[in-house]
Amino acid sequence: MTVRTALTATALASCLLAAPALAQSVNLYTTREPALLNPVIEAFTKDTGIKVNAVFLKDGLQQRIQAEGNNSPADVMLVVDVGEIQAAADAGITQPVKSALVDKIVPAQLRGAGDNWITLTKRARVVVVSKDRVKQDAITYEDLADPKWKGKFCIRSGQHPYNTALFSAYLGHHGAEKTEGYLKALKANTARKPGGGDRDVARDILSGQCDIAIINTYYIGLMSKATNEQKGWYEAIKPLKTTFANGGTHVNVSAAAIAKHAPNKENAVKLIEYMLGEKAQHIYADGNFEFPVNADVKEAEAVKLLGAVTPDKLPLADIAKNRKAASELVDKAGFDN
């Protein structure tokens, strides 16, 4: 059973709890697109015999589970942002994922405190430049504040979650005073008011409006496969090896957690473990050009296109905690004005 409509909390709980063979099923609540997850779900059921009852939600996942309370049928939550999964943990609706396989595959900085959530795939936020006008292959996030980029830098809103997470990481590395100065310097380098989407910055590099920008890696992959004008945007840009000055590449994640009142906890663990396996990592990561967490997966589409990424060692849980402060600094610096 795949639930696609917006049911009331009570009706949804009754529907899922009424599913046959409950001991051999698992209930998944997710904000991911069905097209990305369905192939993994189908493979899991085929390989394990465990049926996945998937509830696809655009938003409000945390609120739905809270409204369902102790009788919530949710077993696994799967979301696409570290702030969202950390908010679920902070709300007290998750429980630790206890698994030797998880301990082996997922680095500590890619898990929540107490293993209350687990990273499944990574998406890096990197710098891209004009392939024709910029002749370098690597950069640090700190270097974006260099005045040599004045009038040449494009970025979406500083308050967008992708950028809030990046600035949260900067705050974790450098503290509030330096982060505020950094945001002011970035603002001074912009070629236009921050806004639009990540793919728009590639378009603006092609047009010559800017020479350098920040983008999530999966957009690069999606543009590379485009059959419209976005293929030209892709061909105009070159991704740079991007890291913090004394660290790695900033990543955000798709992540999973086990619901606090999961009625099928054992199967919930099995689903998370399966999604960390090589077969599922290929299906799941390749579907959206994300980077696999499993280090044994060498030929993922994102790796073939962009090379491997070494995540920064600042714990994602710390980045999530810094987001409110980072957002306030964005406003204080007048970044989006």
Side-chain angles (χ1 to χ4, degrees):
M1 176 183 64
T2 299
V3 181
R4 299 288 296 275
T5 56
L7 303 175
T8 66
T10 301
L12 180 61
S14 298
C15 180
L16 288 177
L17 288 171
L22 187 61
Q24 288 303 312
S25 66
V26 61
N27 302 322
L28 171 68
Y29 283 30
T30 181
T31 55
R32 293 238 72 168
E33 290 291 330
L36 293 176
L37 271 187
N38 281 333
V40 180
I41 290 171
E42 292 166 5
F44 173 75
T45 298
K46 181 179 179 181
D47 291 344
T48 67
I50 300 170
K51 183 178 181 181
V52 180
N53 303 309
V55 181
F56 294 98
L57 302 164
K58 287 188 176 181
D59 50 40
L61 184 151
Q62 175 184 325
Q63 292 76 15
R64 174 71 64 87
I65 292 176
Q66 287 175 308
E68 291 170 351
N70 294 353
N71 293 322
S72 174
D75 293 309
V76 176
M77 292 169 270
L78 199 164
V79 300
V80 293
D81 175 71
V82 64
E84 187 177 356
I85 198 69
Q86 185 61 48
D90 291 343
I93 59 172
T94 67
Q95 61 175 293
V97 181
K98 297 180 180 180
S99 162
L101 183 67
V102 167
D103 292 343
K104 178 181 177 182
I105 291 176
V106 185
Q109 71 267 27
L110 298 182
R111 302 185 227 161
D115 292 340
N116 270 277
W117 54 262
I118 302 297
T119 293
L120 298 176
T121 58
K122 304 168 289 186
R123 68 278 299 275
R125 193 145 184 79
V126 300
V127 173
V128 291
V129 296
S130 166
K131 188 181 296 182
D132 296 329
R133 299 186 298 274
V134 179
K135 305 301 179 184
Q136 66 186 76
D137 298 312
I139 196 170
T140 67
Y141 297 106
E142 290 86 349
D143 286 342
L144 288 171
D146 191 317
K148 75 177 184 180
W149 302 119
K150 187 173 179 63
K152 299 179 180 180
F153 175 58
C154 286
I155 188 171
R156 72 192 305 165
S157 167
Q159 290 292 6
H160 190 278
Y162 299 160
N163 285 331
T164 304
L166 173 61
F167 299 150
S168 297
Y170 197 97
L171 178 61
H173 278 283
H174 297 291
E177 183 177 350
K178 289 185 178 179
T179 301
E180 182 181 351
Y182 176 71
L183 291 170
K184 289 179 178 178
L186 287 187
K187 172 67 175 178
N189 283 346
T190 54
R192 58 164 172 77
K193 181 178 178 179
D198 271 14
R199 277 178 272 209
D200 293 335
V201 302
R203 176 201 63 197
D204 293 342
I205 286 176
L206 174 63
S207 73
Q209 186 173 13
C210 50
D211 286 347
I212 188 167
I214 294 180
I215 188 171
N216 275 4
T217 44
Y218 62 86
Y219 287 117
I220 301 174
L222 294 173
M223 287 189 294
S224 77
K225 298 296 185 182
T227 57
N228 54 19
E229 71 275 9
Q230 291 185 21
K231 187 63 178 286
W233 305 352
Y234 164 74
E235 292 171 346
I237 63 174
K238 177 175 70 173
L240 303 186
K241 179 177 174 58
T242 311
T243 62
F244 283 102
N246 295 303
T249 301
H250 169 68
V251 300
N252 208 328
V253 299
S254 68
I258 297 178
K260 182 177 182 179
H261 302 291
N264 304 289
K265 181 178 177 180
E266 182 178 344
N267 288 343
V269 173
K270 288 180 180 178
L271 177 60
I272 291 173
E273 290 180 336
Y274 186 87
M275 296 186 79
L276 291 170
E278 291 186 41
K279 178 179 179 179
Q281 286 274 286
H282 268 297
I283 297 172
Y284 186 40
D286 291 351
N288 200 38
F289 282 92
E290 295 181 352
F291 290 91
V293 169
N294 189 327
D296 291 333
V297 180
K298 305 293 186 184
E299 296 296 319
E301 291 299 316
V303 176
K304 287 191 286 186
L305 181 69
L306 301 164
V309 62
T310 301
D312 190 50
K313 291 187 177 180
L314 186 70
L316 283 170
D318 289 355
I319 293 173
K321 291 175 183 177
N322 285 339
R323 290 180 83 144
K324 183 175 185 295
S327 176
E328 291 171 350
L329 287 172
V330 168
D331 284 342
K332 188 176 181 181
F335 193 86
D336 286 344
N337 295 344

